[in-house]
Amino acid sequence: MFHRILIANRGEIAVRIIRACREMNIETVAVYSTEDKNALHVQMATESVCIGSARAKDSYLNIPNILSAALLKGCEAIHPGYGFLAENSEFAKMVEDCGLVFIGPSPEIISKMGDKQTARDTMKMHKVPVIPGSEDCIKDVDEAVSLAEQIGYPVIIKASAGGGGKGMRKVYRSEEMKKEFLSAKQEALSAFGNDAIYMERLIEGAKHVEVQVLADSFGNVIHLGERDCSLQRKNQKMIEEAPCRALTQELREQMGQAAVNAAKAVNYTSAGTIEFLLTKENEFFFMEMNTRVQVEHPVTEMITGIDIIKEQIRIAFGLPISVRQEEVMIRGHAIECRINAEDPKNGFMPSCGRVNVVHIPGGNGVRIDSSLYQDSAMSPYYDSMLGKLVVHGKTRQEAVRKMRRALEEFVIEGISTNVGLLYFMMYERAFLKGTYTTDFLEGNLDRIQNLMEQI
């Protein structure tokens, strides 16, 4: 097994990886910016190296400094976590060129699946259902208008190199196309350095369901069930749960097999996620593949008992997956809430500053993945997520009640958070019935906020 791994990330995911490594008797090297010198992941790692100033481009996106730190500290592998450089094929290639192991898929697979249009084409070739849309990237507004008329409004424009909701615009009428087309291209260029965009039919009132897969270098590919990630705001996930209440067992098996087929289609290795849209008519369509560990991986770990980070490390070392498909058992129900430093009553404005008081909930079936501690600081330079609160119950009802109780116990003072909004969501009728879709929160946010202000 690896002796020492560098973690090219920060925050809760860096802490999560360090914990897995310590349990595997693997030493860790943390990298950090000057802003993060007192961060929890720095304190927990075996060793740490400052790689630049506060801005991400000078530190967590600084490839030469990260690679230098890995070589200087005698690391054998680099784990990228999620975000930052996790799906950067150039970084993965440079890691390999330095004689290190990239804990993730090959640079070629990252590149192939990172281009959304190429990913769509690949899935179509292997009989994985895809949303009707453009065959190639769209050159100009005139082509976009013509194609939208063929597909039928509404449509959605997406960045080919994108993810996380960046470079994505919904278009309901032809007269909106020019503005949204140019806006999507500009945002895609700014976010990804690539303004290529493609178009799909906009499927409204759908569920966002994703399937976790594991694949090793011996040709073994398995899935660990699905997650319902439909509670979103501006294409950013807020609450995730597993399994998805809307799926029948037959549909669950079909979707799981489609995910396995998708991974096999590109000779995938490592942990990955196949994302689908599920319509009201129980049709599902491939959206994209995430070639990294997902933020919401803990809900899958809670219902399967399988440590996805450890499996990633095992696979990268050249070992087979530790379980067979028939050994994967789904037990109970898990829910994850993303705890963000933001003010829902003030347009979700990010909140920065020092955490004066923090009380972390606990109890049976309650898990916190976070880098938060009392007197820690929330920086304006990085993502607003403070951590993830995850609960597990024998039934979905038990999990919902456990999440309510845990959110009641969660105290964070000094900065604003979305804990109150998450608590209200645990009482929403659509959530309790499991019928919510990707457009639910946007359509009901004003009503929910008004209720919050009355209490």
Side-chain angles (χ1 to χ4, degrees), residues 1-8 12-30 41 44-47 75-81 103 297 301 307-314 316-317:
M1 181 46 67
F2 297 119
H3 172 68
R4 176 171 285 204
I5 291 173
L6 181 137
I7 300 153
E12 70 87 12
I13 189 59
V15 171
R16 167 74 184 90
I17 297 165
I18 289 170
R19 286 171 172 159
C21 287
R22 289 181 68 173
E23 291 174 16
M24 299 176 76
N25 201 30
I26 298 171
E27 293 182 355
T28 54
V29 174
H41 75 283
M44 289 180 63
T46 309
E47 292 194 55
C75 296
E76 301 147 281
I78 294 180
H79 198 306
I103 300 179
H297 76 275
E301 293 182 330
D307 190 311
I308 293 170
I309 301 294
K310 289 182 181 178
E311 291 297 329
Q312 271 191 303
I313 295 171
R314 285 175 51 87
F317 189 70

Side-chain angles (χ1 to χ4, degrees), residues 178-203:
K178 182 176 181 180
K179 175 186 175 183
E180 302 298 347
F181 179 87
L182 296 176
S183 178
K185 285 183 73 71
Q186 180 59 43
E187 186 172 72
L189 182 63
S190 175
F192 312 112
N194 183 344
D195 69 351
I197 61 174
Y198 66 102
M199 184 186 297
E200 291 177 343
R201 178 187 297 162
L202 176 60
I203 300 176

Side-chain angles (χ1 to χ4, degrees), residues 233-306:
R233 175 183 167 271
K234 294 188 175 180
N235 300 303
Q236 296 291 322
K237 300 166 186 173
M238 183 179 293
I239 299 173
E240 302 97 354
E241 61 177 313
C244 174
R245 189 172 185 178
L247 296 190
T248 63
Q249 186 57 34
E250 180 182 7
L251 191 56
R252 176 171 290 112
E253 291 173 1
Q254 291 175 2
M255 198 174 284
Q257 188 57 54
V260 169
N261 292 345
K264 288 181 176 179
V266 292
N267 296 316
Y268 194 79
T269 56
S270 192
T273 305
I274 312 298
E275 303 201 352
F276 297 102
L277 268 185
L278 176 67
T279 71
K280 296 174 182 176
E281 295 74 32
N282 282 338
E283 292 183 289
F284 64 90
F285 298 98
F286 171 84
M287 289 169 51
E288 63 182 5
M289 182 176 194
N290 288 303
T291 55
R292 53 173 168 78
V293 66
Q294 292 279 87
V295 175
E296 57 272 19
H297 76 275
V299 289
T300 296
E301 293 182 330
M302 295 289 265
I303 62 170
T304 62
I306 295 170

Side-chain angles (χ1 to χ4, degrees), residues 139-434:
K139 300 181 182 65
D140 52 40
V141 175
D142 290 339
E143 183 183 352
V145 171
S146 176
L147 182 59
E149 290 174 353
Q150 295 176 35
I151 296 172
Y153 288 98
V155 297
I156 185 165
I157 299 168
K158 294 183 176 181
S160 184
K166 300 292 186 181
M168 188 180 295
R169 294 292 186 277
K170 298 175 183 179
V171 185
Y172 292 87
R173 296 179 297 276
S174 59
E175 50 266 34
E176 299 173 356
M177 182 61 76
K178 182 176 181 180
K179 175 186 175 183
E180 302 298 347
F181 179 87
L182 296 176
S183 178
K185 285 183 73 71
Q186 180 59 43
E187 186 172 72
L189 182 63
S190 175
F192 312 112
N194 183 344
D195 69 351
I197 61 174
Y198 66 102
M199 184 186 297
E200 291 177 343
R201 178 187 297 162
L202 176 60
I203 300 176
E204 297 186 293
K207 274 191 169 291
H208 181 152
V209 181
E210 60 188 29
V211 179
Q212 177 73 58
V213 296
L214 294 173
D216 61 30
S217 56
F218 298 90
N220 302 309
V221 183
I222 66 171
H223 71 84
L224 306 182
E226 81 286 348
R227 302 183 284 257
D228 188 339
C229 304
S230 304
L231 269 174
Q232 306 175 6
R233 175 183 167 271
K234 294 188 175 180
N235 300 303
Q236 296 291 322
K237 300 166 186 173
M238 183 179 293
I239 299 173
E240 302 97 354
E241 61 177 313
C244 174
R245 189 172 185 178
L247 296 190
T248 63
Q249 186 57 34
E250 180 182 7
L251 191 56
R252 176 171 290 112
E253 291 173 1
Q254 291 175 2
M255 198 174 284
Q257 188 57 54
V260 169
N261 292 345
K264 288 181 176 179
V266 292
N267 296 316
Y268 194 79
T269 56
S270 192
T273 305
I274 312 298
E275 303 201 352
F276 297 102
L277 268 185
L278 176 67
T279 71
K280 296 174 182 176
E281 295 74 32
N282 282 338
E283 292 183 289
F284 64 90
F285 298 98
F286 171 84
M287 289 169 51
E288 63 182 5
M289 182 176 194
N290 288 303
T291 55
R292 53 173 168 78
V293 66
Q294 292 279 87
V295 175
E296 57 272 19
H297 76 275
V299 289
T300 296
E301 293 182 330
M302 295 289 265
I303 62 170
T304 62
I306 295 170
D307 190 311
I308 293 170
I309 301 294
K310 289 182 181 178
E311 291 297 329
Q312 271 191 303
I313 295 171
R314 285 175 51 87
I315 292 167
F317 189 70
L319 297 174
I321 304 166
S322 65
V323 293
R324 299 188 300 272
Q325 186 67 68
E326 57 269 25
E327 296 174 318
V328 177
M329 302 294 293
I330 306 299
R331 296 181 175 88
H333 199 93
I335 302 173
E336 173 182 294
C337 285
R338 300 192 188 193
I339 311 299
N340 295 332
E342 59 189 11
D343 187 357
K345 297 180 180 179
N346 188 25
F348 289 85
M349 182 74 70
S351 180
C352 305
R354 194 160 298 280
V355 177
N356 301 323
V357 176
V358 58
H359 179 268
I360 302 295
N364 184 38
V366 177
R367 166 178 170 176
I368 299 288
D369 279 19
S370 177
S371 59
L372 186 67
Y373 62 91
Q374 191 156 315
D375 208 34
S376 60
M378 186 62 198
S379 171
Y381 292 100
Y382 314 115
D383 186 83
S384 65
M385 191 170 70
L386 293 165
K388 294 145 5 184
L389 173 59
V390 193
V391 300
H392 178 266
K394 293 179 181 178
T395 64
R396 186 173 187 269
Q397 183 182 55
E398 181 179 299
V400 170
R401 290 176 175 174
K402 193 168 289 188
M403 180 60 79
R404 289 174 182 168
R405 188 267 298 169
L407 287 167
E408 288 171 355
E409 290 183 21
F410 215 144
V411 178
I412 303 172
E413 295 183 2
I415 57 175
S416 299
T417 74
N418 66 336
V419 169
L421 175 60
L422 294 167
Y423 183 72
F424 266 79
M425 291 305 305
M426 292 298 112
Y427 288 90
E428 274 295 308
R429 183 183 299 274
F431 179 76
L432 295 177
K433 294 173 67 176

